[in-house]
Amino acid sequence: MPPGVPAWLGVVMGGMGLVTTWVAFPIIVAVLRWWLKRGGRWDGQGDLFNLVAASWLVADTLGAGLTALGVPPLLTLPLWLYSVWVGAQAIEGAIPQASLGYCIAGIAIGLLPAIVAAGSMFALVGVLMVVTGLVPGGAGA
């Protein structure tokens, strides 16, 4: 956290990161479910949630841990891209009618509303903290 920011704000932001993960992940899975059913590529049988969670777990956890330790986001970008690749490979292996490119496109499409939802949550919390006076900001700051 930048100097002059209360220490408890780091805990709040860490908690928000966890909450946004639990908001964004089901959004991505829902979009993937819709995307893979298009054109009869997938019949909806099987647990897509567990497949995606298992394939992303290691790379995403490592990326989040490195980010929490202060590693610049640009250096962790390869881990996030790798998790997309591994997820697409897992989906392609489980759903033979879905090509690797189609799976990557589905993940990318799912990331768009997930990013909007996560950004909206952070913006809302930020506005609430400024309005309630928990952090300095707003007019004249």
Side-chain angles (χ1 to χ4, degrees):
M1 297 301 295
V5 175
W8 59 266
L9 189 56
V11 174
V12 169
M13 296 310 284
M16 281 297 299
L18 184 63
V19 169
T20 56
T21 299
W22 282 102
V23 168
F25 188 77
I27 291 171
I28 295 169
V29 171
V31 170
L32 273 171
R33 186 176 308 282
W34 163 80
W35 181 253
L36 292 169
K37 286 183 180 179
R38 293 181 63 236
R41 286 177 176 79
W42 182 47
D43 60 4
Q45 298 298 312
D47 194 353
L48 189 61
F49 185 92
N50 286 343
L51 175 68
V52 176
S55 65
W56 286 358
L57 181 64
V58 173
D60 282 357
T61 302
L62 184 58
L66 290 173
T67 301
L69 291 173
V71 174
L74 190 57
L75 294 178
T76 61
L77 180 62
L79 281 171
W80 303 112
L81 294 176
Y82 178 71
S83 74
V84 169
W85 177 262
V86 170
Q89 289 280 339
I91 295 168
E92 180 191 30
I95 304 171
Q97 296 84 359
S99 68
L100 180 63
Y102 195 82
C103 295
I104 290 172
I107 292 169
I109 291 169
L111 282 170
L112 296 175
I115 289 169
V116 169
S120 299
M121 286 179 55
F122 273 102
L124 178 63
V125 168
V127 167
L128 288 174
M129 293 176 98
V130 170
V131 168
T132 59
L134 292 174
V135 294

